[in-house]
Amino acid sequence: MLRWIIEEIPLFAIPFIAFACFLVLMRRNPLQAEHWEEQWLRLVLAGASIVVASLVLTGIFAPRHQDGYVPPHMENGRIVPGEFK
């Protein structure tokens, strides 16, 4: 779960990075708040939509295991680790 969160943070940041690059190309200072004040809601919505789309696409196209997961169990006095069969 933590891995998914860490992977989604750069996806959420894509619109912000693109807008900062746009400001640099327009020869404006991207560190001034006045450039961001009107655009923050659009950037947040764009970032959130990218994250939601990536989660949906991951859910649709993620590899599936045909067999189930066998949890760790005891066999002949030894612990057999869990595995996908």
Side-chain angles (χ1 to χ4, degrees):
M1 185 68 181
L2 181 63
R3 182 188 63 139
W4 277 8
I5 293 171
I6 292 173
E7 288 176 355
E8 300 305 324
I9 289 173
L11 290 175
F12 182 78
I14 288 173
F16 295 93
I17 295 169
F19 186 65
C21 291
F22 170 75
L23 289 176
V24 169
L25 289 174
M26 296 302 293
R27 297 187 180 186
R28 297 181 185 161
N29 186 359
L31 299 178
Q32 291 179 344
E34 63 207 30
H35 301 301
W36 297 87
E37 288 174 352
E38 296 178 6
Q39 303 298 328
W40 72 269
L41 182 61
R42 291 181 186 149
L43 295 172
V44 168
L45 291 175
S49 64
I50 290 172
V51 169
V52 168
S54 72
L55 291 173
V56 168
L57 291 174
T58 300
I60 292 172
F61 296 112
R64 304 277 188 241
H65 297 284
Q66 297 301 325
D67 298 324
Y69 176 73
V70 178
H73 58 280
M74 295 285 289
E75 280 185 11
N76 298 328
R78 292 181 36 221
I79 297 178
V80 178
E83 62 183 351
F84 285 98
K85 292 222 175 194

